[in-house]
Structures are given as C-alpha cells and as structure tokens.
Amino acid sequence: DTGVSQNPRHKITKRGQNVTFRCDPISEHNRLYWYRQTLGQGPEFLTYFQNEAQLEKSRLLSDRFSAERPKGSFSTLEIQRTEQGDSAMYLCASSLTRAYRDPQETQYFGPGTRLLVL
Amino acid sequence: QQPVQSPQAVILREGEDAVINCSSSKALYSVHWYRQKHGEAPVFLMILLKGGEQKGHEKISASFNEKKQQSSLYLTASQLSYSGTYFCGTAVTNNFGNEKLTFGTGTRLTIIP
C-alpha cells in the first residue's frame, strides 16, 4: 500500500522547543496539503503546495510555522518555539490534478502526527 | 466560515438508515465527504460538484443542492463498519485553483448491534 505516510506518528515536546514533521505523499501526486485538527473538530487548512511551490497559506499559520516541499516530493512542517495551543493532530493530504482547477481533485489523507506540547 | 453539520451525533441499530446534513453560507464549488475513525486518517467517500449531482457508493449516497448550498449524506441499512465521524469538506470558487477544503465539525455516528 503506497498511501500517504507521516512521521512521527506521535510527538511530545516541551513548550519552547522546535519540532518538525514529515509527510510523504502518494507517489506522483503533485499537490500536498497540510491541515490541523483539534479534538472534536474537523481539519483546518494550513497550507498547500503545487509541486515544490507553496501557493497558499492560512492566516492560522503564524510566523512560527514553516513548511517546505523540496523537489516536489516529501514535505516538512516545522513549528518553532512551540506553545501549548499548538497541541493538535497535524494531517497531510495529497492529490493528483491534471488541470489548474480539477473538479475531480480528491485529497487522500495520511494518518497524522499527534503533537502534545507540555 | 465553517459549514454546519447536523445532527452532531446519532446512534443507530444495525440495519437502520441515517441522513447527515451539511450546510454552507457560501457559494460552493464542490462538497467532499469523509469518514474518520478514532485515531485514524479521514477516508474519502465521495465528491459532489455543483449541479445537484447525486452520487452513490454501495449503500452510501449523497446529494448536493446548489441553490441551498446544502449537501446530504445518506446511509442505508447501516453496518457496524459505518461507525465513525463523518465530515463534509466544502470548496468554494477561489483564485488559487485548488480544492482547499473547509470542514464541518463532524457528525459522530455509532452503530450498535
């Protein structure tokens, strides 16, 4: 099975520390999305990449957050100086689109990285 | 603005039917339905495009009323495996050409034997 994978699956850190998460999308998927999900809520959009270009960022993404997708393959999401409010599940999704606006674009989610900031 | 889902939770006996609704205050381009089990990734169920399209997937189907900006998910003859939290993700027309999804708060479905 070559679905979306994320590492680590769980991360516990102390407030003020930096953390980095990795997402490996489905092979050949050109779009990659990051979402954040808190308990009892639906996923919230953070940012997205078209190949290696980061094309949109949510206002939720403060300056402490940075994401990269070098070479248009895997992506990393880094949180600097973590705060307790950063505790959440961070989900990655990928999709394959063949047009600028593909009405059939389907996002496939990975299992997520659960972050707990103490 | 987050779409509103109703009901928030529902408990069914195996074999019963359920309807989950999703309403948006914005003009929608598409509606995506996902099911998420505890501790797992959301799993894609179906996508509906504007135009009143109704799609089916075995005993799970959905409709999209473009005029009302509403979508409904229909689960018939529910099975134990249908348990989980159902999310609608809505996409609006934007200038970025992507399907940035705004998800509702979810509907928790519990199926009991």
Side-chain angles (χ1 to χ4, degrees), chain A residues 13-62:
Chain A
T13 190
K14 293 182 179 179
R15 187 177 55 183
Q17 299 293 306
N18 299 342
V19 293
T20 300
F21 310 140
R22 176 179 171 125
C23 170
D24 287 272
I26 294 172
S27 180
E28 297 182 356
H29 275 196
N30 52 359
R31 284 187 176 167
L32 188 148
Y33 297 78
W34 284 99
Y35 291 86
R36 179 172 66 188
Q37 185 177 28
T38 54
L39 199 61
Q41 299 295 316
E44 294 177 291
F45 171 79
L46 293 178
T47 188
Y48 111 97
F49 292 83
Q50 172 86 26
N51 298 312
E52 67 276 4
Q54 186 175 20
L55 297 185
E56 188 176 357
K57 293 172 63 174
S58 165
R59 285 171 291 180
L60 294 173
L61 218 61
S62 74

Short mmCIF file of all heavy atoms in Angstrom, two decimals, chain A residues 13-62:
data_model
loop_
_atom_site.label_atom_id
_atom_site.label_comp_id
_atom_site.label_asym_id
_atom_site.label_seq_id
_atom_site.Cartn_x
_atom_site.Cartn_y
_atom_site.Cartn_z
N THR A 13 6.55 17.26 23.32
CA THR A 13 7.64 18.21 23.44
C THR A 13 7.33 19.21 24.54
O THR A 13 6.19 19.34 24.99
CB THR A 13 7.89 18.94 22.11
OG1 THR A 13 9.11 19.69 22.19
CG2 THR A 13 6.74 19.90 21.80
N LYS A 14 8.35 19.90 24.97
CA LYS A 14 8.15 20.94 25.98
C LYS A 14 7.96 22.28 25.28
O LYS A 14 8.52 22.53 24.21
CB LYS A 14 9.35 20.99 26.92
CG LYS A 14 9.50 19.75 27.79
CD LYS A 14 10.67 19.90 28.73
CE LYS A 14 10.80 18.67 29.62
NZ LYS A 14 11.96 18.79 30.56
N ARG A 15 7.20 23.10 25.93
CA ARG A 15 6.95 24.44 25.40
C ARG A 15 8.27 25.14 25.11
O ARG A 15 9.19 25.11 25.90
CB ARG A 15 6.13 25.23 26.42
CG ARG A 15 5.64 26.58 25.94
CD ARG A 15 4.80 27.24 27.00
NE ARG A 15 5.52 27.34 28.28
CZ ARG A 15 5.00 27.82 29.38
NH1 ARG A 15 3.74 28.21 29.40
NH2 ARG A 15 5.71 27.89 30.49
N GLY A 16 8.32 25.77 23.92
CA GLY A 16 9.53 26.49 23.56
C GLY A 16 10.46 25.72 22.64
O GLY A 16 11.35 26.31 22.02
N GLN A 17 10.24 24.40 22.56
CA GLN A 17 11.08 23.58 21.68
C GLN A 17 10.59 23.64 20.24
O GLN A 17 9.44 23.99 19.97
CB GLN A 17 11.09 22.13 22.16
CG GLN A 17 11.64 21.93 23.55
CD GLN A 17 13.13 22.25 23.61
OE1 GLN A 17 13.92 21.71 22.84
NE2 GLN A 17 13.52 23.13 24.51
N ASN A 18 11.48 23.31 19.32
CA ASN A 18 11.12 23.23 17.92
C ASN A 18 10.80 21.79 17.55
O ASN A 18 11.44 20.85 18.07
CB ASN A 18 12.26 23.73 17.04
CG ASN A 18 12.63 25.17 17.31
OD1 ASN A 18 11.86 25.92 17.90
ND2 ASN A 18 13.81 25.56 16.89
N VAL A 19 9.83 21.60 16.66
CA VAL A 19 9.50 20.26 16.18
C VAL A 19 9.36 20.29 14.67
O VAL A 19 9.02 21.32 14.08
CB VAL A 19 8.18 19.73 16.79
CG1 VAL A 19 8.34 19.52 18.30
CG2 VAL A 19 7.02 20.66 16.50
N THR A 20 9.63 19.16 14.06
CA THR A 20 9.50 19.04 12.61
C THR A 20 8.79 17.74 12.27
O THR A 20 9.11 16.68 12.82
CB THR A 20 10.88 19.04 11.92
OG1 THR A 20 11.55 20.25 12.22
CG2 THR A 20 10.73 18.91 10.41
N PHE A 21 7.81 17.84 11.39
CA PHE A 21 7.05 16.68 10.95
C PHE A 21 7.32 16.45 9.46
O PHE A 21 7.53 17.41 8.71
CB PHE A 21 5.54 16.88 11.14
CG PHE A 21 5.16 17.36 12.50
CD1 PHE A 21 4.17 18.32 12.66
CD2 PHE A 21 5.77 16.86 13.64
CE1 PHE A 21 3.79 18.76 13.91
CE2 PHE A 21 5.41 17.30 14.90
CZ PHE A 21 4.42 18.27 15.03
N ARG A 22 7.23 15.20 9.07
CA ARG A 22 7.45 14.87 7.68
C ARG A 22 6.22 14.20 7.09
O ARG A 22 5.52 13.42 7.74
CB ARG A 22 8.64 13.93 7.55
CG ARG A 22 8.89 13.44 6.12
CD ARG A 22 10.08 12.55 6.00
NE ARG A 22 10.18 11.94 4.67
CZ ARG A 22 11.27 12.03 3.90
NH1 ARG A 22 12.35 12.69 4.32
NH2 ARG A 22 11.28 11.45 2.71
N CYS A 23 5.97 14.50 5.82
CA CYS A 23 4.87 13.87 5.08
C CYS A 23 5.40 13.35 3.75
O CYS A 23 6.04 14.09 2.99
CB CYS A 23 3.75 14.88 4.83
SG CYS A 23 2.48 14.30 3.67
N ASP A 24 5.13 12.11 3.47
CA ASP A 24 5.45 11.52 2.17
C ASP A 24 4.14 11.27 1.42
O ASP A 24 3.36 10.40 1.83
CB ASP A 24 6.23 10.23 2.33
CG ASP A 24 7.67 10.48 2.77
OD1 ASP A 24 8.51 10.67 1.88
OD2 ASP A 24 7.91 10.51 3.99
N PRO A 25 3.88 12.01 0.36
CA PRO A 25 2.61 11.87 -0.35
C PRO A 25 2.59 10.60 -1.20
O PRO A 25 3.60 9.92 -1.35
CB PRO A 25 2.58 13.11 -1.24
CG PRO A 25 4.04 13.38 -1.52
CD PRO A 25 4.76 12.99 -0.26
N ILE A 26 1.43 10.34 -1.76
CA ILE A 26 1.32 9.25 -2.73
C ILE A 26 2.19 9.60 -3.93
O ILE A 26 2.19 10.76 -4.38
CB ILE A 26 -0.15 9.05 -3.13
CG1 ILE A 26 -0.96 8.56 -1.92
CG2 ILE A 26 -0.28 8.08 -4.30
CD1 ILE A 26 -2.45 8.52 -2.14
N SER A 27 2.91 8.62 -4.39
CA SER A 27 3.84 8.85 -5.49
C SER A 27 3.15 9.51 -6.68
O SER A 27 2.03 9.14 -7.04
CB SER A 27 4.43 7.50 -5.93
OG SER A 27 5.33 7.67 -6.99
N GLU A 28 3.80 10.51 -7.22
CA GLU A 28 3.33 11.26 -8.39
C GLU A 28 2.20 12.25 -8.11
O GLU A 28 1.75 12.93 -9.02
CB GLU A 28 2.90 10.30 -9.51
CG GLU A 28 4.03 9.44 -10.03
CD GLU A 28 3.62 8.54 -11.16
OE1 GLU A 28 2.43 8.52 -11.52
OE2 GLU A 28 4.49 7.85 -11.70
N HIS A 29 1.76 12.33 -6.88
CA HIS A 29 0.77 13.35 -6.55
C HIS A 29 1.46 14.71 -6.56
O HIS A 29 2.50 14.91 -5.94
CB HIS A 29 0.15 13.09 -5.18
CG HIS A 29 -1.00 12.14 -5.26
ND1 HIS A 29 -1.93 12.00 -4.24
CD2 HIS A 29 -1.40 11.30 -6.24
CE1 HIS A 29 -2.84 11.12 -4.60
NE2 HIS A 29 -2.54 10.68 -5.80
N ASN A 30 0.86 15.65 -7.28
CA ASN A 30 1.52 16.94 -7.43
C ASN A 30 1.09 17.98 -6.40
O ASN A 30 1.75 18.98 -6.21
CB ASN A 30 1.33 17.48 -8.85
CG ASN A 30 -0.15 17.50 -9.26
OD1 ASN A 30 -1.02 17.10 -8.51
ND2 ASN A 30 -0.41 17.98 -10.47
N ARG A 31 -0.01 17.72 -5.71
CA ARG A 31 -0.44 18.67 -4.69
C ARG A 31 -0.33 18.04 -3.31
O ARG A 31 -0.63 16.85 -3.13
CB ARG A 31 -1.87 19.14 -4.95
CG ARG A 31 -1.94 20.14 -6.08
CD ARG A 31 -3.30 20.75 -6.24
NE ARG A 31 -3.29 21.77 -7.29
CZ ARG A 31 -4.36 22.31 -7.83
NH1 ARG A 31 -5.55 21.92 -7.42
NH2 ARG A 31 -4.26 23.22 -8.77
N LEU A 32 0.04 18.89 -2.37
CA LEU A 32 0.19 18.43 -1.00
C LEU A 32 -0.38 19.49 -0.08
O LEU A 32 -0.09 20.68 -0.23
CB LEU A 32 1.67 18.17 -0.68
CG LEU A 32 1.99 17.51 0.66
CD1 LEU A 32 3.23 16.64 0.54
CD2 LEU A 32 2.16 18.53 1.77
N TYR A 33 -1.22 19.06 0.86
CA TYR A 33 -1.90 19.95 1.79
C TYR A 33 -1.52 19.60 3.23
O TYR A 33 -1.35 18.43 3.55
CB TYR A 33 -3.42 19.81 1.67
CG TYR A 33 -4.02 20.18 0.33
CD1 TYR A 33 -3.96 19.33 -0.76
CD2 TYR A 33 -4.68 21.40 0.17
CE1 TYR A 33 -4.52 19.67 -1.98
CE2 TYR A 33 -5.26 21.75 -1.05
CZ TYR A 33 -5.17 20.88 -2.12
OH TYR A 33 -5.74 21.22 -3.32
N TRP A 34 -1.46 20.62 4.06
CA TRP A 34 -1.33 20.43 5.50
C TRP A 34 -2.59 20.97 6.16
O TRP A 34 -3.06 22.07 5.84
CB TRP A 34 -0.11 21.16 6.06
CG TRP A 34 1.20 20.49 5.79
CD1 TRP A 34 2.11 20.80 4.81
CD2 TRP A 34 1.79 19.42 6.53
NE1 TRP A 34 3.21 19.98 4.88
CE2 TRP A 34 3.03 19.11 5.94
CE3 TRP A 34 1.38 18.66 7.64
CZ2 TRP A 34 3.87 18.11 6.41
CZ3 TRP A 34 2.21 17.66 8.12
CH2 TRP A 34 3.45 17.39 7.51
N TYR A 35 -3.11 20.18 7.10
CA TYR A 35 -4.26 20.57 7.90
C TYR A 35 -3.92 20.33 9.37
O TYR A 35 -3.07 19.53 9.72
CB TYR A 35 -5.50 19.71 7.56
CG TYR A 35 -6.10 19.95 6.21
CD1 TYR A 35 -5.63 19.28 5.07
CD2 TYR A 35 -7.18 20.82 6.04
CE1 TYR A 35 -6.20 19.49 3.83
CE2 TYR A 35 -7.76 21.02 4.80
CZ TYR A 35 -7.27 20.34 3.70
OH TYR A 35 -7.84 20.54 2.46
N ARG A 36 -4.65 21.02 10.21
CA ARG A 36 -4.53 20.80 11.66
C ARG A 36 -5.92 20.44 12.19
O ARG A 36 -6.91 21.06 11.80
CB ARG A 36 -4.00 22.06 12.35
CG ARG A 36 -3.86 21.92 13.85
CD ARG A 36 -3.15 23.13 14.44
NE ARG A 36 -3.91 24.35 14.30
CZ ARG A 36 -3.43 25.55 14.59
NH1 ARG A 36 -2.19 25.69 15.02
NH2 ARG A 36 -4.19 26.61 14.45
N GLN A 37 -5.95 19.46 13.09
CA GLN A 37 -7.22 19.03 13.65
C GLN A 37 -7.11 18.95 15.17
O GLN A 37 -6.23 18.28 15.70
CB GLN A 37 -7.62 17.66 13.08
CG GLN A 37 -8.98 17.18 13.53
CD GLN A 37 -9.38 15.86 12.89
OE1 GLN A 37 -8.54 15.04 12.54
NE2 GLN A 37 -10.68 15.64 12.72
N THR A 38 -8.01 19.64 15.84
CA THR A 38 -8.08 19.55 17.29
C THR A 38 -9.26 18.68 17.68
O THR A 38 -10.15 18.41 16.86
CB THR A 38 -8.21 20.94 17.93
OG1 THR A 38 -9.32 21.62 17.33
CG2 THR A 38 -6.95 21.77 17.70
N LEU A 39 -9.26 18.25 18.92
CA LEU A 39 -10.26 17.28 19.39
C LEU A 39 -11.68 17.77 19.17
O LEU A 39 -12.02 18.90 19.54
CB LEU A 39 -10.02 17.01 20.88
CG LEU A 39 -10.65 15.74 21.44
CD1 LEU A 39 -10.08 14.51 20.73
CD2 LEU A 39 -10.42 15.65 22.94
N GLY A 40 -12.47 16.95 18.51
CA GLY A 40 -13.87 17.27 18.29
C GLY A 40 -14.13 18.23 17.15
O GLY A 40 -15.28 18.64 16.93
N GLN A 41 -13.09 18.57 16.41
CA GLN A 41 -13.24 19.49 15.29
C GLN A 41 -12.82 18.84 13.98
O GLN A 41 -12.12 17.83 13.96
CB GLN A 41 -12.38 20.74 15.51
CG GLN A 41 -12.73 21.53 16.75
CD GLN A 41 -14.10 22.14 16.66
OE1 GLN A 41 -14.51 22.70 15.64
NE2 GLN A 41 -14.87 22.02 17.73
N GLY A 42 -13.27 19.43 12.89
CA GLY A 42 -12.81 18.98 11.59
C GLY A 42 -11.43 19.55 11.29
O GLY A 42 -10.98 20.50 11.93
N PRO A 43 -10.75 19.00 10.31
CA PRO A 43 -9.45 19.53 9.92
C PRO A 43 -9.53 20.98 9.45
O PRO A 43 -10.51 21.37 8.82
CB PRO A 43 -9.02 18.61 8.78
CG PRO A 43 -9.81 17.35 8.96
CD PRO A 43 -11.12 17.80 9.53
N GLU A 44 -8.51 21.77 9.78
CA GLU A 44 -8.42 23.16 9.35
C GLU A 44 -7.24 23.31 8.40
O GLU A 44 -6.13 22.88 8.72
CB GLU A 44 -8.20 24.09 10.54
CG GLU A 44 -9.35 24.17 11.51
CD GLU A 44 -9.00 25.06 12.69
OE1 GLU A 44 -8.14 24.67 13.49
OE2 GLU A 44 -9.57 26.17 12.78
N PHE A 45 -7.48 23.95 7.29
CA PHE A 45 -6.44 24.14 6.28
C PHE A 45 -5.32 25.02 6.81
O PHE A 45 -5.55 26.06 7.43
CB PHE A 45 -7.07 24.79 5.05
CG PHE A 45 -6.08 25.25 4.01
CD1 PHE A 45 -5.51 24.35 3.12
CD2 PHE A 45 -5.72 26.58 3.92
CE1 PHE A 45 -4.61 24.76 2.16
CE2 PHE A 45 -4.81 27.01 2.96
CZ PHE A 45 -4.26 26.10 2.07
N LEU A 46 -4.08 24.59 6.54
CA LEU A 46 -2.91 25.39 6.92
C LEU A 46 -2.19 25.94 5.69
O LEU A 46 -1.94 27.14 5.58
CB LEU A 46 -1.93 24.55 7.74
CG LEU A 46 -2.39 24.10 9.13
CD1 LEU A 46 -1.34 23.25 9.79
CD2 LEU A 46 -2.74 25.30 10.00
N THR A 47 -1.83 25.05 4.77
CA THR A 47 -1.08 25.48 3.60
C THR A 47 -1.13 24.40 2.53
O THR A 47 -1.53 23.26 2.80
CB THR A 47 0.39 25.79 3.97
OG1 THR A 47 1.05 26.39 2.85
CG2 THR A 47 1.13 24.53 4.38
N TYR A 48 -0.75 24.78 1.31
CA TYR A 48 -0.72 23.78 0.26
C TYR A 48 0.39 24.06 -0.74
O TYR A 48 0.82 25.21 -0.91
CB TYR A 48 -2.09 23.66 -0.41
CG TYR A 48 -2.20 24.13 -1.84
CD1 TYR A 48 -2.11 23.24 -2.90
CD2 TYR A 48 -2.44 25.47 -2.12
CE1 TYR A 48 -2.24 23.67 -4.20
CE2 TYR A 48 -2.57 25.91 -3.42
CZ TYR A 48 -2.46 25.01 -4.47
OH TYR A 48 -2.59 25.43 -5.77
N PHE A 49 0.87 23.00 -1.38
CA PHE A 49 1.93 23.06 -2.37
C PHE A 49 1.44 22.48 -3.70
O PHE A 49 0.75 21.47 -3.74
CB PHE A 49 3.15 22.22 -1.92
CG PHE A 49 3.87 22.77 -0.74
CD1 PHE A 49 3.42 22.50 0.56
CD2 PHE A 49 4.99 23.57 -0.89
CE1 PHE A 49 4.08 23.00 1.66
CE2 PHE A 49 5.67 24.07 0.21
CZ PHE A 49 5.20 23.79 1.49
N GLN A 50 1.86 23.14 -4.73
CA GLN A 50 1.71 22.60 -6.08
C GLN A 50 3.14 22.28 -6.50
O GLN A 50 3.95 23.18 -6.73
CB GLN A 50 1.09 23.63 -7.02
CG GLN A 50 1.08 23.24 -8.47
CD GLN A 50 -0.12 22.39 -8.85
OE1 GLN A 50 -1.17 22.48 -8.21
NE2 GLN A 50 0.00 21.60 -9.89
N ASN A 51 3.43 20.99 -6.59
CA ASN A 51 4.84 20.56 -6.77
C ASN A 51 5.67 21.17 -5.64
O ASN A 51 5.36 20.99 -4.48
CB ASN A 51 5.32 20.91 -8.16
CG ASN A 51 4.51 20.21 -9.23
OD1 ASN A 51 4.28 19.01 -9.15
ND2 ASN A 51 4.04 20.96 -10.22
N GLU A 52 6.72 21.93 -5.94
CA GLU A 52 7.57 22.47 -4.88
C GLU A 52 7.15 23.87 -4.44
O GLU A 52 7.69 24.40 -3.47
CB GLU A 52 9.03 22.49 -5.32
CG GLU A 52 9.36 23.46 -6.44
CD GLU A 52 9.06 22.89 -7.80
OE1 GLU A 52 8.53 21.76 -7.88
OE2 GLU A 52 9.37 23.56 -8.79
N ALA A 53 6.19 24.46 -5.12
CA ALA A 53 5.79 25.83 -4.82
C ALA A 53 4.69 25.88 -3.76
O ALA A 53 3.65 25.22 -3.90
CB ALA A 53 5.32 26.51 -6.10
N GLN A 54 4.93 26.67 -2.73
CA GLN A 54 3.91 26.89 -1.70
C GLN A 54 3.02 28.02 -2.18
O GLN A 54 3.45 29.17 -2.26
CB GLN A 54 4.56 27.23 -0.37
CG GLN A 54 3.58 27.33 0.78
CD GLN A 54 4.27 27.56 2.12
OE1 GLN A 54 5.42 28.01 2.17
NE2 GLN A 54 3.61 27.26 3.22
N LEU A 55 1.78 27.72 -2.50
CA LEU A 55 0.93 28.68 -3.17
C LEU A 55 -0.09 29.35 -2.28
O LEU A 55 -0.67 30.37 -2.68
CB LEU A 55 0.23 28.01 -4.36
CG LEU A 55 1.14 27.49 -5.47
CD1 LEU A 55 0.33 26.97 -6.64
CD2 LEU A 55 2.10 28.58 -5.92
N GLU A 56 -0.36 28.79 -1.14
CA GLU A 56 -1.34 29.42 -0.27
C GLU A 56 -1.04 29.06 1.18
O GLU A 56 -0.68 27.92 1.48
CB GLU A 56 -2.77 29.01 -0.63
CG GLU A 56 -3.84 29.79 0.12
CD GLU A 56 -5.26 29.45 -0.29
OE1 GLU A 56 -5.43 28.64 -1.22
OE2 GLU A 56 -6.19 29.99 0.33
N LYS A 57 -1.21 30.05 2.05
CA LYS A 57 -1.02 29.85 3.48
C LYS A 57 -2.21 30.42 4.22
O LYS A 57 -2.67 31.52 3.91
CB LYS A 57 0.26 30.54 3.96
CG LYS A 57 1.54 29.94 3.42
CD LYS A 57 2.75 30.78 3.78
CE LYS A 57 2.97 30.86 5.27
NZ LYS A 57 4.23 31.56 5.61
N SER A 58 -2.68 29.71 5.19
CA SER A 58 -3.78 30.19 6.01
C SER A 58 -3.28 31.24 7.00
O SER A 58 -2.11 31.25 7.40
CB SER A 58 -4.40 29.02 6.77
OG SER A 58 -5.21 29.46 7.82
N ARG A 59 -4.21 32.09 7.43
CA ARG A 59 -3.85 33.05 8.48
C ARG A 59 -3.56 32.33 9.79
O ARG A 59 -2.98 32.91 10.71
CB ARG A 59 -4.99 34.05 8.67
CG ARG A 59 -5.07 35.08 7.55
CD ARG A 59 -6.32 35.91 7.66
NE ARG A 59 -7.51 35.14 7.37
CZ ARG A 59 -8.74 35.62 7.40
NH1 ARG A 59 -8.95 36.87 7.73
NH2 ARG A 59 -9.77 34.87 7.12
N LEU A 60 -4.01 31.06 9.88
CA LEU A 60 -3.72 30.27 11.08
C LEU A 60 -2.23 29.99 11.20
O LEU A 60 -1.72 29.72 12.29
CB LEU A 60 -4.45 28.93 11.02
CG LEU A 60 -5.97 28.95 11.09
CD1 LEU A 60 -6.51 27.55 10.85
CD2 LEU A 60 -6.42 29.46 12.44
N LEU A 61 -1.54 30.06 10.08
CA LEU A 61 -0.12 29.72 10.06
C LEU A 61 0.70 30.93 10.48
O LEU A 61 0.99 31.82 9.67
CB LEU A 61 0.27 29.27 8.64
CG LEU A 61 1.26 28.12 8.52
CD1 LEU A 61 0.70 26.88 9.17
CD2 LEU A 61 1.62 27.85 7.08
N SER A 62 1.07 30.96 11.78
CA SER A 62 1.83 32.11 12.26
C SER A 62 3.26 32.02 11.76
O SER A 62 3.67 31.05 11.12
CB SER A 62 1.80 32.12 13.79
OG SER A 62 2.65 31.10 14.30
#
